[in-house]
Amino acid sequence: MGLAVAPAVARAEAQTSFAIPAGPLRQAATLFAVQARVSIDVSAAQGCGPSRGFSGRGSPEVVLRALLQGTGCDLRRIDDRAYQIVRRAPPPAKPPVTLSPPREVEAPIAPLSELVVVATRRPTLADRLAYSVSVLDERAAAAQGVRDTNDLAAVLPAMTVTNLGPGRDKVILRGLSDGPLTGQTQSMVGIYLDDVRLTYNAPDPDLLMLDIAQVEVLRGPQGALYGAGSLGGVLQFTTHRPDPSAFAAWTSISASSLRGGEPGGQLSGMVNVPLLDGRAAVRLVAYADQQGGYIDDPLQGRDDVNRTRRSGIRAAFRVQLGEGWTGDVGVTTQAIASSDTQYATPSVGPFARRNRLAEPHDNDFFEGHVGVSGLIGAVKAKVTLATVSHDISSRYDASAAPPLSVPPGAAVAFDDNNHVGAVIVDASLSSDDHARIQWQVGGFLARTRQRRDGDLLAISQSNALLATEHRRDILEEAALFGEAIGDLGRGWSVTLGGRLFSIRSQASSKAESLGATAAFRDSQDYVGFSPKAVLSFQPTSKTLVYVQATEGYRAGGFNTSPIPSQPFLTTGGEPQRAYDGDDLWSFESGAKASLMDGRLRLRGAVFLALWKSIQSDQLLPSGLPYTANLGDGRNIGVEAEAAYVAGPLRLDASFLLNAPELEKVDPAFPGRKDLGLAGVPKHALALGVSYERPLVGGWRLGTDARLSYVGPSRLSFDATTAPIMGDYVTARAGVRVQSERLSAGLAVDNLFDGHGDTFAYGNPFSLRLGRQSTPQRPRTVSLELKVRY
């Protein structure tokens, strides 16, 4: 993977003791980088042979060259603190010589690769990190068919994603859910692409996971380092960075067949081009994807209505500026267009409903950034300036229960158009990794502008406007954050940190309906401090135990409506004009262990979350959304994951057991304590197995299978719209053959063709009129071909 695994601070000529076991070169290079405190680009390591390891003293460059002996790869020195692994040029061709057939030898048992986590803002090996974190690298993601965040939820513990459809979903971690609706409340989980925050109160942009080096899920509130909107945790996507050492490219084409639906497919490609004599490179990724529809609407005479098209481009440029400094420029853009929503009404059929109107959805996303990183003396510095633009538009069929009186039988639509634009500055300094007290400090500034227009239309030749609202929001955030890690000796360390923040939100709205108007304007400030404390103990180099306490938070806001006559209260009752911020304290104790010479890795944690003044998007009697403070809740649980490798066989398992509760209900809200927290299963389980072995002629065979179970949950906190859902199994099996240049894979998703009701609603206007379900995507068979150049 193209990941600088450990920022360097030591001089190249310094003599250091190393203990690096034999194994895959990528793993050996990762351990070396952490021990030597140097940076390494390991993009090409996947194509190298195994390393013999190293034990003893030496300078970093001498040791690294020893690790590369016999691997077929060479070392390229970028500067005195950074290196790059490159593939060795093939030797000149020689006349063929007749040889006896080689004896096929099974690959030796290799330990599990140690993955480096960057979501904590300091690259650290996952097993040495005193947090509950899961990491999925590119190879594992591809083998398990992980394309987007919905697929991630099936393979990573304590992760749930709503299932409204691509570009409409919310990510939920560790049983902390504020419901399925996406309105004015800020996201529960911070979603980041490299160093850039992608969302505020918009749904997950659902970027297709192509050329992603790894994905990290950091569970529990992360207010100290990431600020508002990380109550449940952080989802971090790390891309492959441009590689200045060599040209590389690949193309991929896939086709899928959906049981009872229409086919789909994907065309994608990547090209990496070195520039400026190896001092710079540009990397381009492009894709076009179609998911076939499987929901029918007999009233409209349409089958497979929920077809979705997704296309995107990602471009990155990296240049070595000299003196240990690096510059990065990048752009990511994606467009999602869904022809209709993907819910059904069981009274019509498991994959059917009867609507008067189609309900299309568009989600257009853009992100651009420029950044520099390097050393000021021995201090590491990084600055990133980014802009994010997110356009989301949805239509809902309000004919069955229109918010206003209309002639009987009239077709009524509600169009919701939401534009979010943000400018973000993130800067940080961090210490020499050799220091007894390691530290990092930083600053964060963001200005977010949101333009939201809601139109209620009587659909006819003239499309009469029944009601409309034009709402504008400005959110200004400023924060100072930092943490320090102190080595107490004898394996003990303590981490103390926090974030001092100030948030100012302004809202203005103008609503019109049938000659009546209503205007609103107000603002509020939210200032505070979010602390973090961690105590860890490492009794051996292979085990770690820790306890921690952290806080997360979200700011408050204001409710408005497209209907001028809609009342909002200032005291007592709901809906309130203003809603308060909420905060969540998490207390966690965990342990990690690497056993059996690295072939078995175990992680586990128990946690208690105390959530005050829970914010949640709810529905007015009209079907239009508003935000309420529901009361106080808590969640107590245990989560664990394990990985075991024996030669070509790998086994993975994870589970979550928790007891989410709504402890104290706001008297103004019609909730019930016995319903618990909405959308949170009390138990979930995932199992995976993979097997890989060599064939002939440089080809390899790989097989993978996974199975996950999601327990039952409730849709919402509202007692009148809280049907039970969940309690379903998802399964996938795949087989692939690959060589250095070519690969072909066949996979079956939803192997048992389950119809489980996933966590989502369908239409907010008819939700109270009858049961709506969001079934699993039917069994899908897909074939993929990939060529590397």
Side-chain angles (χ1 to χ4, degrees):
M1 295 183 299
L3 177 65
V5 295
V9 294
R11 294 188 178 274
E13 65 270 13
Q15 296 285 314
T16 309
S17 294
F18 294 90
I20 302 170
L25 178 59
R26 181 181 170 281
Q27 173 198 334
T30 299
L31 290 174
F32 165 81
V34 173
Q35 293 180 24
R37 313 302 185 190
V38 298
S39 296
I40 305 178
D41 184 343
V42 293
S43 302
Q46 196 66 40
C48 306
S51 172
R52 301 173 183 173
F54 183 89
S55 179
R57 292 182 61 83
S59 68
E61 185 166 330
V62 169
V63 175
L64 185 52
R65 292 191 183 280
L67 293 175
L68 287 166
Q69 286 183 2
T71 65
C73 288
D74 283 326
L75 175 66
R76 177 177 178 270
R77 182 170 178 172
I78 298 173
D79 57 36
D80 64 344
R81 295 179 172 88
Y83 301 89
Q84 186 174 46
I85 294 173
V86 296
R87 294 188 184 183
R88 184 175 300 156
K94 296 181 179 180
V97 179
T98 303
L99 297 174
S100 56
R103 183 171 61 92
E104 190 172 281
V105 180
E106 286 286 339
I109 294 176
L112 288 159
S113 175
E114 292 191 86
L115 296 174
V116 176
V117 174
V118 298
T120 55
R121 293 180 178 264
R122 297 175 64 92
T124 309
L125 287 174
D127 285 350
R128 301 182 187 180
L129 192 63
Y131 298 93
S132 179
V133 60
S134 297
V135 186
L136 190 72
D137 65 16
E138 181 183 39
R139 186 176 181 181
Q144 298 182 63
V146 175
R147 295 162 29 101
D148 51 28
T149 49
N150 254 292
D151 295 328
L152 273 176
V155 300
L156 294 180
M159 180 174 176
T160 306
V161 178
T162 61
N163 196 25
L164 278 72
R168 308 178 75 173
D169 294 325
K170 298 170 68 172
V171 179
I172 299 165
L173 294 178
R174 191 173 271 180
L176 300 172
S177 167
D178 58 2
L181 294 170
T182 302
Q184 287 297 124
T185 57
Q186 189 175 359
S187 305
M188 286 289 298
V189 174
I191 302 177
Y192 287 77
L193 181 67
D194 294 321
D195 300 318
V196 180
R197 186 181 73 181
L198 301 186
T199 61
Y200 181 75
N201 64 350
D204 173 19
D206 212 3
L207 299 177
L208 203 60
M209 287 175 51
L210 290 175
D211 206 43
I212 298 294
Q214 69 180 34
V215 184
E216 303 162 23
V217 177
L218 193 58
R219 292 180 288 273
Q222 305 298 323
L225 290 183
Y226 287 96
S230 60
L231 269 73
V234 167
L235 178 60
Q236 170 87 40
F237 296 94
T238 301
T239 63
H240 281 299
R241 301 302 176 92
D243 179 3
S245 67
F247 173 85
W250 57 257
T251 56
S252 173
I253 185 170
S254 67
S256 61
S257 175
L258 186 66
R259 183 180 182 274
E262 63 180 2
Q266 180 187 118
L267 179 64
S268 58
M270 182 280 295
V271 61
N272 181 95
V273 181
L275 303 169
L276 303 177
D277 297 324
R279 292 188 297 108
V282 63
R283 194 178 188 98
L284 302 174
V285 179
Y287 53 89
D289 173 79
Q290 176 172 304
Q291 293 185 24
Y294 53 91
I295 300 293
D296 299 333
D297 195 321
L299 184 61
Q300 298 182 52
R302 300 165 58 224
D303 294 336
D304 307 325
V305 299
N306 59 316
R307 178 190 307 111
T308 297
R309 293 185 174 92
R310 175 165 40 185
S311 59
I313 296 174
R314 188 169 70 246
F317 173 75
R318 167 166 281 195
V319 59
Q320 299 297 332
L321 302 174
E323 301 296 329
W325 284 83
T326 301
D328 287 285
V329 180
V331 171
T332 299
T333 181
Q334 178 178 273
I336 296 176
S338 298
S339 302
D340 216 323
T341 46
Q342 60 184 36
Y343 69 95
T345 52
S347 60
V348 178
F351 295 97
R353 63 169 184 267
R354 298 173 65 87
N355 275 3
R356 294 285 303 278
L357 303 170
E359 299 180 325
H361 171 80
D362 287 340
N363 186 315
D364 298 331
F365 177 82
F366 172 86
E367 177 270 332
H369 68 271
V370 58
V372 293
S373 59
L375 293 172
I376 303 175
V379 175
K380 291 168 285 186
K382 178 184 286 189
V383 179
T384 302
L385 171 65
T387 179
V388 175
S389 178
H390 207 171
D391 288 286
I392 308 141
S393 62
S394 302
R395 166 167 283 192
Y396 297 97
D397 182 3
S399 306
L404 294 174
S405 297
V406 298
V412 179
F414 181 74
D415 290 343
D416 184 16
N417 297 297
N418 185 12
H419 170 78
V420 180
V423 177
I424 302 166
V425 180
D426 194 309
S428 64
L429 299 172
S430 55
S431 66
D432 182 331
D433 289 344
H434 282 305
R436 185 176 182 85
I437 298 180
Q438 300 174 25
W439 53 265
Q440 61 175 314
V441 296
F444 177 84
L445 294 171
R447 180 180 172 85
T448 303
R449 298 178 64 91
Q450 183 176 23
R451 183 179 70 247
R452 193 159 198 168
D453 298 324
D455 295 330
L456 189 69
L457 301 167
I459 302 301
S460 62
Q461 290 184 346
S462 58
N463 283 351
L465 187 63
L466 302 176
T468 184
E469 180 190 23
H470 304 288
R471 174 166 173 157
R472 305 294 182 263
D473 289 85
I474 298 176
L475 185 85
E476 297 171 326
E477 302 174 80
L480 297 174
F481 61 86
E483 70 173 20
I485 305 172
D487 182 359
L488 304 179
R490 298 182 180 273
W492 289 89
S493 68
V494 62
T495 302
L496 298 175
R499 187 182 190 94
L500 179 65
F501 61 87
S502 173
I503 301 175
R504 180 173 179 80
S505 61
Q506 306 172 56
S508 63
S509 167
K510 183 178 181 180
E512 301 180 54
S513 177
L514 304 177
T517 62
F520 171 80
R521 181 185 297 271
D522 205 345
S523 64
Q524 60 174 271
D525 295 295
Y526 190 51
V527 179
F529 180 77
S530 178
K532 174 178 76 173
V534 183
L535 179 65
S536 65
F537 175 55
Q538 196 167 0
T540 71
S541 61
K542 303 296 184 180
T543 55
L544 174 73
V545 294
Y546 65 90
V547 292
Q548 66 164 267
T550 59
E551 185 188 25
Y553 61 91
R554 293 187 293 184
F558 301 96
N559 286 310
T560 61
S561 172
I563 300 176
S565 60
Q566 171 65 55
F568 289 101
L569 308 175
T570 56
T571 58
E574 287 285 358
Q576 292 284 316
R577 172 61 80 181
Y579 55 91
D580 296 329
D582 57 353
D583 67 90
L584 186 145
W585 270 96
S586 174
F587 304 93
E588 177 182 329
S589 177
K592 301 179 179 184
S594 178
L595 308 174
M596 302 174 63
D597 295 324
R599 299 196 303 273
L600 175 64
R601 184 157 291 133
L602 303 173
R603 302 186 183 102
V606 294
F607 58 88
L608 169 65
L610 303 178
W611 195 356
K612 301 297 182 182
S613 300
I614 299 172
Q615 288 182 19
S616 177
D617 291 316
Q618 300 295 312
L619 295 177
L620 296 164
S622 63
L624 296 168
Y626 79 103
T627 303
N629 293 106
L630 308 184
D632 300 337
R634 75 169 186 177
N635 192 17
I636 185 170
V638 57
E639 62 189 24
E641 56 183 324
Y644 172 74
V645 63
L649 179 68
R650 173 168 175 151
L651 303 174
D652 293 273
S654 65
F655 72 85
L656 168 70
L657 298 175
N658 62 159
E661 297 179 357
L662 192 60
E663 286 190 305
K664 178 183 177 183
V665 179
D666 189 318
F669 182 78
R672 283 174 22 200
K673 292 175 63 174
D674 61 298
L675 297 182
L677 297 180
V680 181
K682 293 188 176 181
H683 43 273
L685 171 72
L687 302 171
V689 58
S690 63
Y691 179 84
E692 185 173 309
R693 62 159 296 147
L695 297 174
V696 295
W699 288 84
R700 298 188 66 83
L701 170 71
T703 58
D704 292 270
R706 59 173 165 85
L707 181 143
S708 60
Y709 170 72
V710 178
S713 61
R714 294 276 186 174
L715 174 65
S716 70
F717 296 92
D718 187 340
T720 62
T721 58
I724 294 178
M725 51 184 47
D727 192 23
Y728 61 87
V729 171
T730 64
R732 183 184 193 274
V735 60
R736 66 191 181 280
V737 290
Q738 61 186 28
S739 66
E740 184 176 351
R741 286 197 58 196
L742 302 174
S743 66
L746 179 69
V748 183
D749 287 277
N750 195 2
L751 186 63
F752 305 122
D753 200 29
H755 297 174
D757 189 3
T758 59
F759 179 46
Y761 69 101
N763 183 308
F765 298 98
S766 57
L767 186 59
R768 293 183 173 90
L769 301 181
R771 177 67 185 268
Q772 300 175 355
S773 68
T774 310
Q776 295 170 263
R777 177 174 288 271
R779 182 189 297 123
T780 304
V781 180
S782 58
L783 175 66
E784 181 188 24
L785 301 175
K786 188 172 185 178
V787 182
R788 298 174 183 85
Y789 304 97

